[in-house]
Amino acid sequence: MNIFINKKKLQFHLQNNEISYIIAPLKNNHIGNLYYGAKIEHQNDFSHMIQESDYVLPDTPNIFEDNFGFTLDTVKAEYPSFGQGDYREPAIEILQKNGSTLTDFKYKSYRVISGKPSLESLPATYVEDGKEALTLELTLEDKVIESELILTYTIYRDFPVITRNVKVINNSSEFLNIKRLMSMSLDLDRDNYSIFHLSGGWSRERQFIEREVKHGKLSINSSRGTSSANHNPFIGLKRGYVDEKVGEVFGFNLIYSGNFKGSVEEDHYGITRVSMGINPFNFNWELESQKEFQSPEAVMVYSNKGISHMSKTFNTLYRTRLAKGIYRDKERPILLNNWEATYFDFNEKEILNIAAKAEELGIELFVLDDGWFGARNDDSQGLGDWTVNYSKLPSGINGLSKKIEEMGLKFGLWFEPEMVNKNSDLYRSHPDWILEVPNRKGTPSRKQFTLDFSREDVRDYIYESLEKIIKTSSISYIKWDMNRPMTEIMSNNLPYTKQGEVAHRYILGLYELLEKITKEFPHILFESCASGGNRFDGGMLYYMPQGWTSDNTDAVDRLKIQYGTSMVYPISSMGAHISAVPNHQTGRITDINFRASVAYFGSFGYELDLNKITLVEQNLVKNQIIFMKNNRKLFQFGDFYRLRSPYKGENTSWMVVSKDKREAIVGDYTRLINANYGFDRLKLTGLDPDLEYKVESDSSIQNKKGKGDELMNSGLIFGKTFFGTSPLNESIGDFKSRIIKITAI
């Protein structure tokens, strides 16, 4: 790992064992990108990499009157602005007093820092010692508006990763109105790219979408106040032929939980520009004199070993250098959540009966979901009143939590702190605490409204309410929910000139509160949730090491959801529960082993009344829990590999491999059976080619042992499962799975 500086030419080369990233001031002192990709040897001069023409380009404005070959319309800009001949997507727009948005930030200075500075008020990846990373800061200056731009780059030693962020400093005596400030922009050489991203909606989050990059612009974004289930803040680019193991891949992810935008634009010369940051739609920030504005962090991953290596990099970096707290490195408890078992209709006796059965079968943590507070007998009332409903729970949360712990279980509790029903004591006392536009009708969703987390008094109320309950009870886990997108994004607490700041101020307020409460109660395992996966992002992962992946607990649908999520986020971060059948989201019936075999590859738990399943199923649950306890270290800390895509055919396969490569677990799933299908073969990955392994499964597999090279190149050979006419057999049919244990001999 190094940051080479060619001082004579002012060229900066960030390099580690896998990647190189080269940037330099151009002739006009804007920063240009010379190279990003696989590691190349350092040279004393990279000037030949700067793209400029020796002849006049038609219909192209030139920066210099005496140099017709230098135009911003064709250069690979590092942080572009609009107005001087670059007509592509800009990275920055600042509205000035004279009405112009033209900026001209020129190189001023640099510094190199050992390690990685933290970001003020924003989550970001981190290091635990100064030797893990090096950071380059470039200071740019626009003398007309008396402002500086700090472009920050961190290169990690152990990962093919560069992180980027941007800061604006207003040194003038007047305010600046920031309309756009992307966290990163990158121009890539002309090539045949394909884009892939993670899109969908409620109950079908993070579906894998792929398409070719053509002339024009494609963007993903959210204006919902959350990162959203519709588009995750991730973009991948594939160059040429790429699969899981082969080819060049660029991955871009924004560590942010609010409105964002990511775009890919191919220009008229085939240069591809990627940008990502806060969504400029409905955004402005009034930056006062002598103040600073900090962008969120963007993480860039490069792989020339296929998509799998990109995902492994994101997964490991985020599990070890984004997630924080004791549960980052601590095995997660197996939990049971009562939501789909009872919804709002429960009492203390029923809860204790469910918990007792859970403990009997080996569950370690019981989680009480919505309905325990205020007048919360349905979703139309009580939200915001964080006082116990004693008619349901006569012992209160204090007494109930202690009774649960006396059974031998830990106790967890659901909150939705960011929301309020109008039918609540909180709203009646503080009607001005919600996001709303005066004299306009509000838009309820799930019969609730959004509290204004840009306000300190609102955050203080929420903190004090939660603190009181936590301190007077025995709570080991909190599920932090947020069940609606934002509308009427306006604060009663800000002047009209700052209303474009509300959505971002909300997220900053949320982060401030999460920082405070997770530091105050470090023993608690926090899980984020936003109507399922509406805010499954790196910003939340920084504070909460796991999130509720989706409200859809159907195991068949979860194959696609968890497959897509694994592109960026570790499986230890994916809440994955076994629920009752018929499934409450799809009506589908799958057997309990199939449901378990999918949920193993996540933060494992149950969401049903275990008293209402058969004795046979209860014994299966016991065995599932034993299996998970014996293997959860592997699931949580191993490397995850996708083997067969749920988007291609009826079979899905994936596996997790220990860091020392001595053990692995394979999950193989069939959705719809095909008659007379023939023999099946599955090639594994991530094993040690020189080790010999034994293969254990209750399914028919011909090779019971094999060297790692054989299992990866020849594969597991499954026996023929169905010839066409046979007596009923439990191993035959739709929605079947195999769990295969691979252990070094």
Side-chain angles (χ1 to χ4, degrees):
M1 174 189 65
N2 209 336
I3 296 179
F4 298 100
I5 301 169
N6 294 336
K7 292 187 178 180
K8 186 175 181 180
K9 296 288 186 177
L10 268 179
Q11 296 163 348
F12 305 93
H13 180 188
L14 290 75
Q15 182 200 77
N16 64 20
N17 288 332
E18 294 189 65
I19 59 174
S20 284
Y21 194 90
I22 305 170
I23 53 179
L26 303 172
K27 288 181 179 179
N28 65 337
N29 265 339
H30 288 191
I31 304 298
N33 185 282
L34 279 59
Y35 175 82
Y36 176 39
K39 175 186 175 182
I40 60 175
E41 185 177 343
H42 182 66
Q43 303 174 35
N44 292 327
D45 187 4
F46 291 105
S47 298
H48 57 280
M49 290 184 172
I50 298 174
Q51 292 183 179
E52 58 179 324
S53 175
D54 293 329
Y55 57 88
V56 177
L57 294 172
D59 196 32
T60 300
N62 305 113
I63 290 295
F64 304 108
E65 291 187 13
D66 58 349
N67 184 340
F68 296 109
F70 186 78
T71 168
L72 298 184
D73 200 25
T74 62
V75 300
K76 290 166 56 184
E78 183 68 3
Y79 202 75
S81 59
F82 179 79
Q84 292 182 305
D86 188 342
Y87 296 97
R88 296 164 289 178
E89 184 92 357
I92 185 170
E93 287 183 88
I94 296 178
L95 179 63
Q96 296 137 54
K97 199 171 183 179
N98 64 3
S100 170
T101 58
L102 189 151
T103 56
D104 192 21
F105 284 98
K106 297 180 181 293
Y107 171 80
K108 180 181 179 182
S109 63
Y110 76 89
R111 70 168 179 156
V112 175
I113 305 165
S114 295
K116 185 177 189 293
S118 60
L119 295 190
E120 183 180 354
S121 304
L122 285 163
T125 57
Y126 58 86
V127 296
E128 292 191 336
D129 69 65
K131 297 178 181 179
E132 289 184 44
L134 285 172
T135 297
L136 171 68
E137 283 188 357
L138 299 183
T139 299
L140 283 59
E141 183 180 31
D142 186 326
K143 291 184 178 180
V144 172
I145 60 174
E146 299 178 65
S147 296
E148 291 180 331
L149 201 61
I150 311 296
L151 307 183
T152 301
Y153 304 78
T154 295
I155 185 166
Y156 273 84
R157 178 190 63 201
D158 301 325
F159 302 100
V161 165
I162 291 174
T163 67
R164 293 178 58 179
N165 68 82
V166 181
K167 181 189 293 183
V168 180
I169 303 173
N170 183 2
N171 295 318
S172 74
S173 59
E174 298 180 346
F175 73 83
L176 298 175
N177 195 335
I178 301 173
K179 305 293 290 182
R180 174 194 301 253
L181 190 76
M182 307 309 282
S183 296
M184 56 80 54
S185 182
L186 175 68
D187 287 353
L188 292 168
D189 292 324
R190 181 175 191 153
D191 222 322
N192 297 316
Y193 291 103
S194 295
I195 181 176
F196 58 100
H197 54 99
L198 307 175
S199 298
W202 175 82
S203 80
R204 46 182 175 82
E205 297 89 341
R206 289 171 301 286
Q207 306 289 295
F208 182 83
I209 310 293
E210 182 177 357
R211 66 194 75 187
E212 289 184 57
V213 175
K214 299 289 188 182
H215 282 192
K217 188 186 304 180
L218 184 148
S219 68
I220 59 169
N221 68 84
S222 172
S223 55
R224 294 168 174 263
T226 65
S227 52
S228 88
N230 304 80
H231 298 289
N232 196 261
F234 164 78
I235 288 174
L237 282 184
K238 296 160 56 173
R239 178 147 58 188
Y241 176 78
V242 175
D243 62 19
E244 287 285 340
K245 299 180 182 179
V246 175
E248 278 193 295
V249 182
F250 300 86
F252 307 92
N253 186 229
L254 189 68
I255 300 178
Y256 188 62
S257 306
N259 295 338
F260 79 94
K261 180 180 180 181
S263 70
V264 176
E265 179 180 8
E266 185 180 280
D267 73 8
H268 52 301
Y269 288 111
I271 300 299
T272 297
R273 173 168 291 177
V274 184
S275 63
M276 188 168 281
I278 295 172
N279 193 343
F281 174 75
N282 200 37
F283 169 81
N284 72 272
W285 192 274
E286 192 176 79
L287 187 63
E288 296 168 358
S289 173
Q290 310 306 311
K291 297 293 186 179
E292 303 175 353
F293 181 83
Q294 174 66 58
S295 82
E297 178 171 274
V299 179
M300 308 194 310
V301 172
Y302 172 79
S303 166
N304 58 5
K305 304 170 189 173
I307 300 175
S308 181
H309 186 58
M310 179 207 73
S311 293
K312 181 182 174 183
T313 299
F314 272 123
N315 291 179
T316 308
L317 177 73
Y318 284 6
R319 185 182 61 77
T320 63
R321 291 297 180 268
L322 179 59
K324 299 189 304 178
I326 61 172
Y327 279 98
R328 185 193 77 174
D329 302 317
K330 186 177 179 180
E331 293 177 23
R332 309 282 168 76
I334 298 170
L335 65 84
L336 183 139
N337 183 298
N338 75 296
W339 177 242
E340 289 195 11
T342 66
Y343 293 102
F344 295 105
D345 186 17
F346 61 81
N347 56 45
E348 185 172 299
K349 181 180 178 181
E350 185 176 7
I351 291 299
L352 291 172
N353 285 339
I354 294 172
K357 178 58 71 173
E359 190 280 330
E360 177 188 326
L361 298 182
I363 299 287
E364 299 164 310
L365 167 67
F366 177 84
V367 180
L368 180 62
D369 211 280
D370 196 356
W372 57 267
F373 53 91
R376 190 69 167 172
N377 296 314
D378 55 49
D379 63 3
S380 69
Q381 57 188 328
L383 195 57
D385 298 338
W386 299 111
T387 54
V388 179
N389 184 332
Y390 285 100
S391 64
K392 287 184 179 180
L393 304 174
S395 301
I397 295 300
N398 180 13
L400 177 65
S401 64
K402 291 177 180 176
K403 290 178 182 179
I404 297 286
E405 286 201 337
E406 287 169 2
M407 292 180 181
L409 294 165
K410 297 294 185 181
F411 179 77
L413 196 58
W414 177 95
F415 289 93
E416 190 174 1
E418 300 166 64
M419 299 292 152
V420 65
N421 293 127
K422 285 193 172 180
N423 185 7
S424 67
D425 293 338
L426 175 61
Y427 180 79
R428 285 184 281 270
S429 299
H430 299 283
D432 59 325
W433 276 13
I434 66 171
L435 297 178
E436 63 176 350
V437 177
N439 304 315
R440 300 286 186 185
K441 182 180 180 298
T443 311
S445 177
R446 204 174 180 256
K447 304 172 186 175
Q448 61 192 50
F449 293 81
T450 308
L451 288 171
D452 182 1
F453 262 45
S454 71
R455 297 178 59 139
E456 186 176 7
D457 51 356
V458 173
R459 300 194 301 271
D460 287 346
Y461 166 80
I462 293 298
Y463 178 79
E464 291 163 7
S465 299
L466 270 61
E467 180 190 41
K468 182 177 180 180
I469 295 165
I470 295 169
K471 284 189 171 180
T472 57
S473 307
S474 298
I475 296 175
S476 302
Y477 164 103
I478 285 176
K479 181 177 180 180
W480 184 294
D481 210 342
M482 192 267 199
N483 272 311
R484 62 155 292 171
M486 295 181 194
T487 53
E488 293 80 48
I489 303 177
M490 187 171 183
S491 173
N492 290 298
N493 204 42
L494 292 171
Y496 79 95
T497 57
K498 290 184 176 292
Q499 292 302 325
E501 303 177 11
V502 174
H504 183 57
R505 285 183 178 274
Y506 182 104
I507 296 298
L508 293 178
L510 172 66
Y511 288 156
E512 178 189 278
L513 179 57
L514 294 179
E515 182 76 23
K516 185 176 180 180
I517 203 163
T518 54
K519 280 187 175 179
E520 176 79 11
F521 303 105
H523 68 285
I524 292 178
L525 171 59
F526 285 85
E527 178 174 291
S528 65
C529 178
S531 198
N534 251 308
R535 203 164 59 187
F536 199 106
D537 56 63
M540 297 305 291
L541 182 59
Y542 179 80
Y543 302 102
M544 305 184 183
Q546 64 190 54
W548 187 221
T549 318
S550 175
D551 280 343
N552 187 348
T553 56
D554 175 67
V556 176
D557 280 356
R558 274 300 187 105
L559 292 172
K560 287 186 175 181
I561 294 169
Q562 291 174 212
Y563 177 95
T565 305
S566 74
M567 288 286 160
V568 183
Y569 306 102
I571 63 172
S572 60
S573 70
M574 301 182 210
H577 296 175
I578 299 166
S579 60
V581 292
N583 179 265
H584 291 196
Q585 289 77 47
T586 65
R588 196 179 346 254
I589 296 175
T590 56
D591 69 59
I592 200 163
N593 278 336
F594 184 87
R595 284 172 271 158
S597 66
V598 177
Y600 289 146
F601 292 85
S603 287
F604 182 74
Y606 294 81
E607 193 148 338
L608 72 169
D609 187 343
L610 293 170
N611 291 299
K612 294 180 179 178
I613 62 175
T614 67
L615 291 176
V616 170
E617 288 177 321
Q618 288 182 21
N619 285 327
L620 290 172
V621 167
K622 278 186 182 180
N623 292 332
Q624 291 165 4
I625 292 170
I626 291 169
F627 174 81
M628 192 62 187
K629 287 178 179 178
N630 289 337
N631 293 285
R632 63 179 154 190
K633 184 176 181 181
L634 171 57
F635 283 114
Q636 185 172 338
F637 303 118
D639 294 325
F640 181 76
Y641 297 95
R642 296 173 297 272
L643 305 178
R644 294 196 282 204
S645 167
Y647 296 91
K648 299 177 181 178
E650 297 298 339
N651 293 96
T652 303
S653 308
W654 50 43
M655 66 186 293
V656 63
V657 183
S658 64
K659 293 294 183 183
D660 63 6
K661 300 182 183 295
R662 297 193 62 83
E663 58 179 341
I665 294 175
V666 179
D668 181 62
Y669 313 91
T670 299
R671 286 178 293 180
L672 300 179
I673 192 71
N674 289 307
N676 198 24
Y677 179 69
F679 292 90
D680 192 15
R681 187 185 297 259
L682 179 64
K683 294 181 181 180
L684 307 185
T685 193
L687 302 177
D688 186 327
D690 298 320
L691 285 178
E692 186 166 8
Y693 296 89
K694 66 177 179 179
V695 179
E696 300 173 278
S697 177
D698 56 5
S699 297
S700 174
I701 297 177
Q702 291 183 199
N703 39 346
K704 302 296 184 183
K705 65 178 182 178
K707 293 284 289 294
D709 57 356
E710 176 194 333
L711 296 175
M712 291 189 291
N713 294 302
S714 175
L716 294 174
I717 304 170
F718 299 127
K720 196 173 191 307
T721 57
F722 186 38
F723 285 93
T725 302
S726 73
L728 290 176
N729 185 323
E730 287 189 0
S731 67
I732 295 171
D734 299 335
F735 317 131
K736 297 299 179 183
S737 61
R738 303 179 178 97
I739 292 293
I740 304 156
K741 185 69 184 287
I742 313 288
T743 310
I745 298 173

